[in-house]
């Protein structure tokens, strides 16, 4: 999830984001992405992020996936965020974010690909109790065009979803809470044919390490899911069983 804050004019930040995804429908599955980002706020309410990602995969005995053990440069991305409403002067904060990324390694299968993806997100947030409790709500849509290197077929898929989270300040500089995310995966970029759906829930924490640095940690588990045409209680074909994220940022 993201909040509606974009920073102040002239602010610059270096950020590392480590994402781990674990567990599929069988065998051993581990995918870890490590992204390095530079963030700039050139004008009021507008932020630009440029990132580069490295990926590590360990896949063994997973139905439908080739065994893989590799570490590689995955690709690059650029993200733009514009804040329409500031929660300090409006009933709630509202930010629109869009990201474009290009990948040379598939984030799920670890195959060599040529992939282009986009993401659009609306982020709302509001302080329920001033300086104590904040809640956030996200709406998202993602689309992906992927061609396996050496193959002639272009695959298209999309994901739509919503997320709700809340953080409470336990003590100055330390916030603790949780989030829930509901995602639907489709064949085709226009949400044509449902492939599966899943609900993730889990805790999240924020640590203000110093005046200019911070750390955010989150973990979620698939609490419910269902592939299309199945009566299973989890969708481990289109989604992971566990997801974890660690974000470190420092202003300079």
């Amino acid at each position: 999830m993201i909040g509606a804050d974009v920073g102040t004019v002239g602010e610059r930040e270096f950020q590392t984001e480590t994402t781990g995804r674990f567990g599929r429908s069988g065998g051993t599955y581990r995918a870890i992405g490590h992204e390095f980002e530079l963030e700039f706020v050139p004008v009021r309410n507008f932020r630009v992020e440029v990132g580069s990602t490295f990926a590590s995969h360990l896949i063994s005995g997973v139905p439908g996936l080739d065994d893989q053990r590799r570490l590689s440069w995955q690709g690059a991305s650029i993200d733009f965020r514009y804040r329409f409403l500031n929660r300090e002067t409006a009933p709630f904060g509202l930010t629109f974010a869009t990201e474009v990324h290009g990948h040379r390694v598939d984030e799920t299968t670890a195959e060599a690909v040529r992939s282009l993806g986009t993401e659009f997100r609306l982020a709302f947030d509001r302080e329920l109790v001033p300086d104590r409790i904040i809640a956030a709500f996200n709406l998202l849509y993602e689309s992906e065009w992927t061609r396996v290197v050496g193959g002639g077929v272009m695959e298209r898929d999309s994901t739509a979803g919503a997320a709700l989270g809340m953080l409470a300040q336990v003590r100055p500089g330390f916030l603790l809470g949780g989030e829930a995310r509901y995602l639907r995966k489709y064949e085709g970029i226009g949400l044509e044919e449902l492939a599966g759906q899943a609900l993730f829930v889990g805790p999240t924490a924020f640590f203000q390490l110093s005046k200019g640095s911070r750390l955010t940690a989150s973990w979620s588990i698939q609490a419910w899911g269902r592939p299309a045409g199945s009566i299973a209680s989890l969708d481990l074909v289109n989604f992971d069983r566990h997801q974890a994220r660690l974000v470190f940022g420092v202003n300079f």
Side-chain angles (χ1 to χ4, degrees):
M1 293 188 64
I2 65 171
D5 291 336
V6 295
T8 58
V9 176
E11 184 176 287
R12 297 173 299 175
E13 184 177 71
F14 171 74
Q15 177 175 286
T16 64
E17 182 175 299
T18 303
T19 303
R21 298 179 291 109
F22 311 94
R24 283 280 169 155
S25 54
T28 299
Y29 183 85
R30 185 186 71 198
I32 298 176
H34 194 70
E35 183 174 17
F36 300 90
E37 295 178 320
L38 287 176
E39 304 177 357
F40 310 90
V41 185
V43 296
R44 185 181 179 186
N45 295 323
F46 180 67
R47 186 169 84 184
V48 180
E49 299 179 9
V50 179
S52 181
T53 303
F54 292 83
S56 169
H57 289 83
L58 175 60
I59 305 173
S60 177
V62 179
L65 299 180
D66 293 336
D67 290 354
Q68 300 276 4
R69 188 185 185 95
R70 63 184 300 179
L71 171 65
S72 56
W73 177 64
Q74 185 177 33
S77 65
I78 186 166
D79 180 291
F80 303 99
R81 299 186 187 184
Y82 184 80
R83 183 173 61 186
F84 290 94
L85 296 174
N86 187 335
R87 66 172 181 270
E88 295 181 358
T89 56
F92 55 85
L94 171 60
T95 290
F96 173 73
T98 179
E99 178 192 287
V100 178
H101 63 258
H103 286 167
R104 56 187 294 275
V105 175
D106 188 88
E107 66 177 8
T108 300
T109 67
E111 292 181 292
V113 297
R114 296 295 179 265
S115 175
L116 177 67
T118 61
E119 177 183 308
F120 302 96
R121 188 183 296 256
L122 276 177
F124 304 82
D125 63 14
R126 177 181 172 86
E127 285 191 82
L128 303 181
V129 179
D131 299 322
R132 289 291 181 180
I133 301 176
I134 186 169
F137 177 69
N138 286 187
L139 290 172
L140 66 92
Y141 165 78
E142 303 173 1
S143 58
E144 195 91 21
W145 293 261
T146 303
R147 187 193 303 274
V148 176
V149 173
V153 178
M154 176 71 74
E155 298 181 2
R156 300 171 175 85
D157 61 70
S158 53
T159 302
L164 177 66
M166 186 177 297
L167 281 170
Q169 184 170 242
V170 178
R171 59 181 178 82
F174 175 47
L175 286 81
L176 186 63
E179 65 181 46
R181 293 176 292 122
Y182 173 65
L183 303 173
R184 294 171 65 90
K185 184 76 173 287
Y186 293 86
E187 300 291 340
I189 62 170
L191 309 179
E192 286 97 342
E193 182 179 347
L194 180 66
Q197 54 188 317
L199 173 68
F200 290 87
V201 295
T204 185
F206 173 88
F207 305 89
Q208 189 72 46
L209 302 178
S210 66
K211 184 178 180 180
S213 63
R214 58 179 174 80
L215 183 70
T216 304
S218 61
W219 170 78
S220 60
I221 185 172
Q222 188 181 148
W224 176 86
R226 180 166 295 169
S230 171
I231 60 172
S233 58
L234 294 175
D235 183 353
L236 299 179
V237 177
N238 299 289
F239 300 98
D240 315 294
R241 184 70 170 99
H242 300 272
Q243 297 179 348
R245 179 164 291 174
L246 188 66
V247 181
F248 170 74
V250 57
N251 294 332
F252 63 93

